């Protein structure tokens, strides 16, 4: 909701909390963690924080590749996009 309201500060806070919770519950290599990194990347990109966006997108890609064992999957393709 915060990202839709363009409240990037609160959106980042929520995504970071969600990421920590997902990692604690599922471990790092889980689709929910990858999705959260992707969401963080979008927020960073919208804030023109391109280096942080790239790092978040790359992290999402690496997790998706690990989850799907390097096999073609829509989540891996989405991360590449």
């Amino acid at each position: 909701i915060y990202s839709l309201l363009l409240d990037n500060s609160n959106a980042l806070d929520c995504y970071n909390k969600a990421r920590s919770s997902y990692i604690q519950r599922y471990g790092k290599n889980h689709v929910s963690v990858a999705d959260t990194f992707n969401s963080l990347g979008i927020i960073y990109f919208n804030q023109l924080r391109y280096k942080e966006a790239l790092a978040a997108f790359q992290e999402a890609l690496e997790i998706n590749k690990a989850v799907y064992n390097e096999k073609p999957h829509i989540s891996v393709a989405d991360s590449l996009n």
Side-chain angles (χ1 to χ4, degrees), residues 5 10 13-15 17-18 25-26 30 50 52 55-56 58 65 73 80:
L5 296 172
N10 280 320
D13 185 50
C14 287
Y15 285 131
K17 287 177 182 175
R25 180 169 177 99
Y26 302 119
H30 191 274
Y50 298 124
E52 291 164 290
Q58 288 175 327
K65 287 165 82 176
H73 190 275
L80 289 169

Side-chain angles (χ1 to χ4, degrees), residues 1-75:
I1 298 295
Y2 288 121
S3 57
L4 293 174
L5 296 172
L6 302 177
D7 184 351
N8 292 324
S9 178
N10 280 320
L12 286 173
D13 185 50
C14 287
Y15 285 131
N16 280 313
K17 287 177 182 175
R19 180 190 61 193
S20 294
S21 294
Y22 289 143
I23 290 171
Q24 185 176 19
R25 180 169 177 99
Y26 302 119
K28 186 174 179 186
N29 288 333
H30 191 274
V31 293
S32 294
V33 178
D35 288 345
T36 305
F37 271 111
N38 192 63
S39 295
L40 286 166
I42 292 168
I43 298 293
Y44 290 138
F45 184 85
N46 289 339
Q47 291 181 318
L48 309 178
R49 296 166 62 179
Y50 298 124
K51 287 182 182 181
E52 291 164 290
L54 180 59
F57 290 139
Q58 288 175 327
E59 192 66 34
L61 174 61
E62 292 307 313
I63 293 169
N64 278 323
K65 287 165 82 176
V67 167
Y68 298 106
N69 298 315
E70 301 282 336
K71 295 177 184 172
H73 190 275
I74 192 68
S75 293

